[in-house]
Amino acid sequence: MTRQILVTSALPYANGHIHLGHLVEYLQTDIFVRFQRLRGHRVAYMCADDTHGTAIMIRAEKEGRTPEALIAEMSEAHQRDFAAFGVSFDHYGSTNSDANRQVAGGIWQKLVEQGLVVERAVPRLFDAEKGMFLADRFVKGTCPRCKTPDQYGDACEACGSTYPATELIEPRSVFSGSAPQLKDSKQFFVRLEPLQQKLTEWTQQSGALQPEVANYLKGHFLDKPLQDWDVSRPKPYFGFEIPGQPGNFWYVWFDAPIGYIASTVEWCAKTGQDVDQWWRNPDCEVVHFLGKDITYFHTLFWPAMLHCGGYSLPKRVHIHGFLKVNGEKMSKSRGTFVNARRYLDFLEPEWLRYYYASKLGPKIDDLDFQTEEFVGKVNSDLVGRVVNLASRSAKFVEQTGLSASYPDDGGLFARAAAMAETIAACYEACDFREATRLVMTLCDAANEYVEQKAPWTLKKDPTKARELQDVCTVVLNLFHQIMVYLTPVLPGLSAKAGALLGSAMDYWSLAQQPLVGRPVAKFTHMMARVEAARVSEMFTPEEPTPASIPAAAPSPTLEKEPLQPDITIDDFLKVDLRVAEVLEAKAVEGADKLLQLTLGLGGDVRRNVFAGIKKAYQPEQLVGRLVLYVANLAPRKMKFGVSAGMVAAAGTDGEVYLMSPDSGAKPGQRLH
RNA sequence: GGCAGGAUAGCUCAGCUGGUUAGAGCGGCGGCUUCAUAAGCCGUAGGUCGCCGGUUCAAGUCCGGCUCCUGCUACCA
């Protein structure tokens, strides 16, 4: 039966270029899509750029151009990168399109009609001088955590912490420089609680989600009343103004997934189809691919919107993990944060397609790009086992072509043909790792056959010309089958195989019938080998150009926590730093990071302090030692008691190093 | 601390509803071959299946407890 399947990949944000991490998703989706097409199903692969939001607006402003100009450029760059990797979208749209505005408006209308939109006043920061509310990114101030100045209102770039903009120290508007005030803002919320039952049913029983995802939702969200979702942002905002609510815009996450539908709308208009046949048709399967970071948008909000808007709920939401490189998170400083374009400067796209395919299973596990493994898979699997089959047989039949009838091969072809459905099931389940592994077993069998028949020996005996042709006919047919099975993963290589044998490579069942009595083209090189050095080179941070090398080598620690602006001696004297002796130290029940310290300041003066140093120090090793103590920090009430002041320590990224005075210092002495 | 996921050969992973000597690929080692993009073939060595207990005739496979890792979440000045 021909199925109708609408497939999406998450919309890449227009604020950055496509990198290897993105490609895990797009290549995975593309393999799935190409597989379905190969099976003869009707497939629409929809994607678009996600273009709205504050980040885009700020960046465009910084670069002195309109957001529209910025997103146009990014869309072009994204599509160029995707095309280079063979990602075969049927349509690539933009969330900043008329179609998207209309679909979003339609869904909004339905939400309003169903009484799911509520209006509420929320205190937000307000720039009185400019007369406007400030999005988090428009407020700058000192980070409440690490005290780095000049940080945005939502997150600190120095310490990575996030916080509400209202917690910033000395906040100011980036527009007027004035101190923002708190003022009630009109915000629109979508109520999700009325949909609780529907969502519970869909997440837990429809089979659309991987089991671990269903569990996650059940334990995290569905076990308590669902919170209303704040879907509006006051102007200025790059996005769509909410109909009838001047000055209020849909939050980027409201209209982003709607881009899936809008993209389909544009595609249908272009191709003369009815969009409802794709999005309001119970016989059409909607399948989303996305990363684990955006799970809950796609498994709670999005189905809620679809449901209310009268669209089909996804048949399947397939979630994947993140990309790591040689066991570690991708990192710009280590050079492992590699853009698609940089990859193309060093390596071949099909290598990556195969490598990812050979690693991707149906679960959410992260995928680790390991240099040696990559080289091994490409060189031994693809070149050594797959391509080598053609390479070691094609030239013997260049003159004669394939035998007129398929020779006896001991059942090899039939066995491989019989495996078609097993392999197909692996593709269907997104277990590409198993699919490619199975295909490799076919390669092994084929190579054994070559070894046994030794065509190079047959060639020496003119009376065995017929046998030589038969052997090569078998080998090339096994190669052809293998390439049919690998077509979703390696469309480029598949096309070359097709050209060699005159096969269209466009249908899964081509693997069922042997090719006979046809010419074989001259064998040409099909795939290069990888050099490990090229891969390493790609992952090596680029040398800064001479002009940009600063006079002094940058300090990595200073980069994490930049030096602070100058203060006066009076400022410094406000801080009362004392030598203190640790009299007691013990773990705090129920706290992972805290130790409770009793500090002595000489005589009987004692202070109780909770310090986040448990991971670095044992309580017993602290007792008796002298530490540096911030004596006049206002006491802070914590879950476990009141902490009076703090113990000074250095360190980033979880490291903790306590300060110690030289020997001879006495508890209670002040630092000058 | 809560929730979720994981812990099986050097590496990446399979092991479904419990059942003969625990598997694959890569890597290692030994040999063969030379048609082929220094490709291929054959053979071989590696595992107390995280730890402890339980259920069972029988447990990586089920149950309980523990340890460690990862992610989200919280307390963290």
Side-chain angles (χ1 to χ4, degrees):
Chain A
M1 194 192 82
T2 303
R3 290 156 60 195
Q4 189 183 350
I5 312 171
L6 187 140
V7 187
T8 73
S9 297
L11 312 188
Y13 199 46
N15 195 27
H17 287 288
I18 301 304
H19 54 69
L20 295 187
H22 286 109
L23 287 170
V24 171
E25 172 164 324
Y26 300 94
L27 295 184
Q28 175 173 233
T29 315
D30 188 63
I31 289 167
F32 182 80
V33 163
R34 285 178 184 269
F35 164 72
Q36 301 296 357
R37 289 193 191 119
L38 200 60
R39 297 279 280 175
H41 300 310
R42 257 180 96 194
V43 181
Y45 182 11
M46 294 294 131
C47 198
D49 259 18
D50 178 17
T51 58
H52 290 155
T54 313
I56 298 287
M57 182 170 64
I58 297 251
R59 177 165 161 197
E61 193 179 85
K62 220 185 247 175
E63 295 175 2
R65 53 178 169 167
T66 63
E68 287 82 0
L70 169 65
I71 65 175
E73 184 191 310
M74 290 307 297
S75 176
E76 204 179 306
H78 285 177
Q79 291 185 66
R80 199 173 50 230
D81 290 342
F82 288 137
F85 281 89
V87 180
S88 58
F89 302 120
D90 286 292
H91 187 73
Y92 196 88
S94 163
T95 58
N96 195 47
S97 64
D98 288 340
N100 202 41
R101 184 193 294 271
Q102 277 177 26
V103 179
I107 291 176
W108 181 254
Q109 180 68 32
K110 291 270 176 57
L111 290 170
V112 171
E113 283 166 10
Q114 291 164 45
L116 294 172
V117 175
V118 291
E119 203 178 306
R120 220 166 27 231
V122 174
R124 295 177 69 102
L125 293 169
F126 184 73
D127 183 334
E129 231 167 90
K130 282 271 183 179
M132 67 187 209
F133 287 98
L134 299 167
D136 291 347
R137 301 288 288 186
F138 287 128
V139 185
K140 282 188 154 189
T142 299
C143 169
R145 297 284 168 94
C146 71
K147 307 293 191 278
T148 304
D150 211 33
Q151 295 303 311
Y152 289 116
D154 53 353
C156 173
E157 291 178 332
C159 71
S161 60
T162 56
Y163 39 76
T166 48
E167 284 186 10
L168 275 182
I169 300 166
E170 290 182 19
R172 56 185 199 287
S173 162
V174 300
F175 294 106
S176 66
S178 66
Q181 306 156 358
L182 266 183
K183 185 178 165 181
D184 280 349
S185 163
K186 185 167 79 170
Q187 296 287 127
F188 295 90
F189 292 81
V190 171
R191 295 168 59 214
L192 292 172
E193 181 52 22
L195 301 168
Q196 162 98 26
Q197 199 192 335
K198 177 78 196 167
L199 288 171
T200 301
E201 191 183 303
W202 179 74
T203 58
Q204 305 303 311
Q205 273 142 50
S206 69
L209 304 179
Q210 290 134 300
E212 56 265 54
V213 177
N215 287 343
Y216 160 75
L217 295 171
K218 190 174 165 189
H220 261 81
F221 301 98
L222 295 166
D223 59 335
K224 46 188 176 282
L226 291 166
Q227 288 182 17
D228 296 346
W229 182 33
D230 187 349
V231 293
S232 73
R233 293 293 181 271
K235 71 174 183 182
Y237 194 75
F238 180 55
F240 293 139
E241 199 164 54
I242 300 176
Q245 302 295 344
N248 291 285
F249 291 71
W250 284 310
Y251 174 47
V252 56
W253 261 110
F254 180 80
D255 68 52
I258 293 173
Y260 298 138
I261 302 177
S263 194
T264 317
V265 168
E266 291 178 341
W267 178 65
C268 285
K270 199 168 66 181
T271 56
Q273 300 184 73
D274 175 7
V275 69
D276 285 351
Q277 281 304 302
W278 292 95
W279 279 99
R280 299 185 200 265
N281 174 1
D283 293 328
C284 176
E285 306 168 29
V286 173
V287 180
H288 295 304
F289 283 79
L290 44 117
K292 63 185 183 183
D293 52 328
I294 53 178
T295 296
Y296 87 125
F297 287 108
H298 282 84
T299 52
L300 292 175
F301 302 142
W302 177 233
M305 287 160 69
L306 287 171
H307 176 68
C308 296
Y311 295 98
S312 312
L313 290 189
K315 180 79 186 286
R316 215 163 135 189
V317 178
H318 185 84
I319 297 171
H320 64 259
F322 295 149
L323 179 70
K324 292 185 168 183
V325 175
N326 293 322
E328 299 188 316
K329 284 185 184 173
M330 291 196 295
S331 134
K332 280 184 179 156
S333 60
R334 272 194 291 268
T336 53
F337 200 99
V338 170
N339 279 341
R341 233 168 301 159
R342 181 172 172 82
Y343 176 94
L344 294 169
D345 285 342
F346 288 84
L347 306 169
E348 293 298 322
E350 295 233 317
W351 296 343
L352 190 69
R353 291 183 68 104
Y354 177 74
Y355 180 67
Y356 279 176
S358 77
K359 302 270 289 178
L360 280 166
K363 294 200 210 163
I364 309 183
D365 306 330
D366 288 347
L367 189 159
D368 192 14
F369 187 116
Q370 298 184 88
T371 303
E372 280 180 37
E373 189 186 37
F374 176 82
V375 172
K377 294 230 181 203
V378 172
N379 289 351
S380 14
D381 288 8
L382 291 184
V383 179
R385 296 208 262 176
V386 180
V387 174
N388 198 211
L389 283 171
S391 167
R392 66 197 306 204
S393 59
K395 69 171 189 186
F396 296 129
V397 284
E398 219 172 274
Q399 309 298 328
T400 62
L402 300 177
S403 302
S405 63
Y406 191 71
D408 178 17
D409 65 0
L412 278 177
F413 187 90
R415 267 201 297 279
M419 210 187 262
E421 287 313 303
T422 308
I423 296 170
C426 294
Y427 275 117
E428 183 68 43
C430 294
D431 194 351
F432 304 157
R433 180 171 54 205
E434 182 65 5
T436 52
R437 195 189 67 78
L438 287 172
V439 173
M440 285 309 132
T441 65
L442 300 179
C443 290
D444 290 343
N447 274 306
E448 277 171 48
Y449 177 84
V450 176
E451 201 69 23
Q452 250 172 44
K453 298 293 178 181
W456 52 94
T457 310
L458 297 174
K459 186 186 63 171
K460 291 174 186 161
D461 183 350
T463 66
K464 295 194 170 158
R466 178 64 195 276
E467 201 183 336
L468 176 64
Q469 187 190 21
D470 282 352
V471 166
C472 292
T473 297
V474 170
V475 176
L476 286 172
N477 265 291
L478 297 176
F479 172 67
H480 178 245
Q481 273 181 319
I482 287 161
M483 284 315 306
V484 169
Y485 294 149
L486 288 178
T487 294
V489 179
L490 299 163
L493 184 61
S494 175
K496 287 180 189 168
L500 179 73
L501 301 169
S503 170
M505 306 304 286
D506 59 353
Y507 212 76
W508 188 254
S509 59
L510 284 174
Q512 297 300 310
Q513 283 300 320
L515 307 171
V516 288
R518 63 173 72 192
V520 172
K522 186 168 170 51
F523 180 79
T524 51
H525 204 264
M526 286 186 172
M527 177 172 279
R529 305 170 64 78
V530 202
E531 291 169 50
R534 288 296 279 171
V535 183
S536 310
E537 208 180 327
M538 178 179 79
F539 285 131
T540 304
E542 288 176 84
E543 294 286 322
T545 50
S548 69
I549 295 176
S555 155
T557 47
L558 286 186
E559 266 174 35
K560 281 182 183 159
E561 288 185 292
L563 291 170
Q564 303 297 294
D566 292 348
I567 59 171
T568 64
I569 183 72
D570 293 330
D571 289 334
F572 173 68
L573 288 174
K574 286 182 189 165
V575 182
D576 192 353
L577 294 169
R578 299 285 173 161
V579 174
E581 180 184 359
V582 180
L583 300 175
E584 286 175 34
K586 59 186 178 190
V588 181
E589 185 143 357
D592 279 355
K593 300 181 184 172
L594 292 182
L595 289 183
Q596 180 170 15
L597 305 179
T598 304
L599 301 180
L601 295 175
D604 289 332
V605 182
R606 296 185 168 205
R607 294 289 179 85
N608 179 63
V609 174
F610 290 98
I613 58 173
K614 182 177 176 183
K615 293 215 162 146
Y617 292 92
Q618 300 292 327
E620 25 321 338
Q621 72 187 112
L622 290 174
V623 175
R625 74 172 276 181
L626 297 178
V627 295
L628 186 52
Y629 170 61
V630 185
N632 63 337
L633 187 67
R636 184 164 165 120
K637 198 175 158 201
M638 293 166 52
K639 183 175 169 186
F640 313 102
V642 176
S643 183
M646 65 183 258
V647 172
T652 51
D653 301 329
E655 295 175 308
V656 178
Y657 303 103
L658 285 174
M659 300 296 108
S660 301
D662 271 351
S663 55
K666 300 194 173 44
Q669 285 180 327
R670 183 170 184 190
L671 267 74
H672 300 285

